[in-house]
Amino acid sequence: VAFRNYNVSSDVNLTSLRRVALKSDGSGLSLASDPTGTVNFLDMVNNLQGDSGRGYYIEMSIGTPGQKLNILVDTGSSNFAVAAAAHQFITHYFNTALSSTYSSTGRTVAVRYTQGNWEGELGIDRVSIPRGPNGTITINIAAILSSDGFFLPGINWQGILGLAYPVLARPDSSVEPFFNSVVKQLGIPDIFSLQMCGAGLSASSTTDTTGGSLIMGGAEPTLYRGSVWYTPIIEEWYYQVEVLKLEVGDQNLNLDCREYNMDKAIVDSGTTLLRLPVNVFNALVEAITRSSLIEEFSSGFWEGTKLACWMKGENPWRFFPKLSIYLRATNTSESFRITILPQLYIQPITDVDGTLDCFRFGVSSSTNGMVIGATVMEGFYVVFDRTQQRLGFALSSCAVSDGVALSEIEGPFSAADVAADCSGGPLKEPLVWMISYALMAVCALALLILLLMLILPCRCGNRNGEITDESSLVRHRIK
């Protein structure tokens, strides 16, 4: 691993070098020792198991004495929730009666997704992470007592670790999320980073799971190559970013940039696919079809209802183009692009009779905005720098197949040819129009406020009610 991007001498002790935290030096990143000794990144490498089809999970020890459970890592929600009752699809659960430190808050909690839901009670208990930061923390736990469509066949996890912001927590933002508690109680930097290593592997494989790494407190240099490119977090609820344009091969989709962000664009490890707003999805499929070497390809493949199969040994990836997403850089007049090769979005699922290899399309349409899920994230090491309100992307050291890198990052590019704000979206224009008319008369004001409540989608409402956003569905996986 080359450390040329850092101002360190070649004779630095590597063990202490990896005991680092990310800090800004004004021009980028510098390495610093962690005097508290609570963060040793090498201890956290390969602490995840799983794959994009079944989710990536980390082992935790919950309660006193500790009960070990596997917990799904999800950057698209904010509750720490664990099974607290038996379920046909899980092998074991957290028995609150056996923990001497568990206490119920007496509050019920329910999270309903577009598909699937769970209900339970809020409690407080002690948790440690065998391959995480040193120390035990006291955290909020949602004890899942009943669920429908949440736990699925073939999974090996018994709970979910929501790593997003407090505003998404249920039943309200007063329930402090897990990572906020870790930062506050252990004093580690408010940064975590994620490497997911299931790229190009069959989601139905019976071999050992691949896994990855969740580094809490910073970033581990051995897990990525080259520089980390940063994009601002537009709003702190989901990890919302600003997408400027998409390319298929070298072909720009040429849509209004607000189309890419309607009604948001987020980075979510709990979603299997790259999910695109309907207009964007249709334009992308049309562009792939035009540039693909395959004629009259089944529409069921693009819609996710059919697999495409090739003879064993035939390489289907050569038929498909690269996909690129341009993100606003922290210097807002610039952008950079993250690119995935077909090996990441034409995904092996199964073989048939030992003669055919079958694949699925790792992109789907969405009615709830763009979701940069595992299809894209498996190509990159992603740094969630909550301190400086930015997300970083670097080339993942595990996104390589047969010596070929499966992802690319390039930049900077000028962002002068796109709107100053792509994240607003057309939906905000009627709001301005109505407000201007409201100033004409007091009675019109009351009427327009009523209309706003009835007809305009409001993200704030969703935060206090049901999660109706498919993007954070654990259920939304293709098995």
Side-chain angles (χ1 to χ4, degrees), residues 89-119:
F89 295 142
I90 60 175
T91 54
H92 58 290
Y93 61 92
F94 174 52
N95 190 332
T96 57
L98 297 182
S99 173
S100 62
T101 47
Y102 178 81
S103 62
S104 172
T105 64
R107 300 177 70 190
T108 60
V109 58
V111 176
R112 180 173 297 280
Y113 302 88
T114 305
Q115 301 176 66
N117 63 80
W118 55 258
E119 299 179 6

Side-chain angles (χ1 to χ4, degrees), residues 41-103:
F41 295 160
L42 285 186
D43 288 347
M44 302 186 214
V45 171
N46 296 326
N47 61 1
L48 298 183
Q49 288 183 284
D51 56 47
S52 62
R54 291 170 292 228
Y56 292 84
Y57 52 87
I58 188 169
E59 184 184 72
M60 292 191 182
S61 180
I62 306 173
T64 308
Q67 302 175 41
K68 289 190 174 178
L69 284 86
N70 292 330
I71 308 296
L72 182 80
V73 173
D74 180 26
T75 63
S77 66
S78 299
N79 279 86
F80 178 56
V82 298
H87 188 282
Q88 60 177 326
F89 295 142
I90 60 175
T91 54
H92 58 290
Y93 61 92
F94 174 52
N95 190 332
T96 57
L98 297 182
S99 173
S100 62
T101 47
Y102 178 81
S103 62

Side-chain angles (χ1 to χ4, degrees), residues 148-441:
D148 179 26
F150 180 73
F151 297 111
L152 303 169
I155 61 168
N156 191 31
W157 44 265
Q158 300 85 38
I160 186 168
L161 173 58
L163 289 169
Y165 290 97
V167 74
L168 290 185
R170 298 295 183 262
D172 57 57
S173 59
S174 69
V175 179
E176 185 176 73
F178 182 93
F179 193 68
N180 294 61
S181 300
V182 172
V183 169
K184 185 181 296 184
Q185 295 178 40
L186 298 184
I188 67 172
D190 193 10
I191 305 169
F192 67 88
S193 48
L194 195 54
Q195 182 191 52
M196 298 153 66
C197 292
L201 297 173
S202 172
S204 62
S205 172
T206 56
T207 58
D208 291 340
T209 52
T210 49
S213 303
L214 171 62
I215 308 297
M216 301 186 202
E220 166 52 46
T222 60
L223 300 181
Y224 64 89
R225 296 176 286 116
S227 303
V228 181
W229 290 82
Y230 284 95
T231 186
I233 296 172
I234 299 301
E235 189 174 344
E236 296 176 330
W237 57 322
Y238 296 98
Y239 291 99
Q240 182 180 349
V241 296
E242 187 179 5
V243 175
L244 304 190
K245 64 180 177 179
L246 261 64
E247 287 179 347
V248 173
D250 296 325
Q251 178 184 350
N252 185 348
L253 291 188
N254 281 324
L255 298 175
D256 185 312
C257 68
R258 290 174 296 183
E259 295 263 17
Y260 303 124
N261 301 276
M262 188 192 305
D263 56 353
K264 61 185 172 299
I266 66 172
V267 178
D268 179 9
S269 65
T271 293
T272 303
L273 308 177
L274 167 60
R275 308 191 67 235
L276 303 175
V278 176
N279 289 348
V280 180
F281 177 77
N282 291 337
L284 179 114
V285 169
E286 183 182 343
I288 293 177
T289 304
R290 280 201 306 268
S291 62
S292 172
L293 300 176
I294 299 172
E295 297 180 5
E296 299 180 11
F297 213 50
S298 168
S299 61
F301 176 72
W302 309 117
E303 295 163 1
T305 59
K306 293 183 180 179
L307 299 179
C309 301
W310 282 266
M311 294 297 294
K312 264 196 177 305
E314 186 174 358
N315 177 4
W317 298 308
R318 61 190 174 93
F319 299 121
F320 295 91
K322 300 175 182 178
L323 304 182
S324 296
I325 300 172
Y326 286 73
L327 296 168
R328 178 89 66 184
T330 47
N331 177 345
T332 56
S333 65
E334 295 179 341
S335 68
F336 64 94
R337 74 173 174 230
I338 57 176
T339 299
I340 58 173
L341 270 63
Q343 286 90 328
L344 287 175
Y345 74 89
I346 304 298
Q347 302 170 340
I349 293 295
T350 186
D351 64 12
V352 178
D353 299 330
T355 60
L356 295 176
D357 284 327
C358 296
F359 300 79
R360 74 175 177 196
F361 188 41
V363 188
S364 71
S365 63
S366 165
T367 57
N368 301 93
M370 181 183 296
V371 187
I372 299 173
T375 291
V376 176
M377 291 182 71
E378 286 177 342
F380 302 95
Y381 185 70
V382 186
V383 180
F384 295 76
D385 184 349
R386 293 150 54 106
T387 301
Q388 298 198 53
Q389 201 172 336
R390 60 185 187 171
L391 287 191
F393 290 83
L395 295 176
S396 171
S397 61
C398 67
V400 178
S401 178
D402 297 326
V404 177
L406 304 181
S407 54
E408 303 168 356
I409 298 185
E410 292 184 77
F413 302 101
S414 170
D417 60 332
V418 296
D421 179 13
C422 295
S423 62
L427 288 177
K428 292 188 178 178
E429 291 176 359
L431 181 62
V432 176
W433 182 84
M434 289 179 185
I435 290 176
S436 67
Y437 273 82
L439 297 176
M440 293 181 178

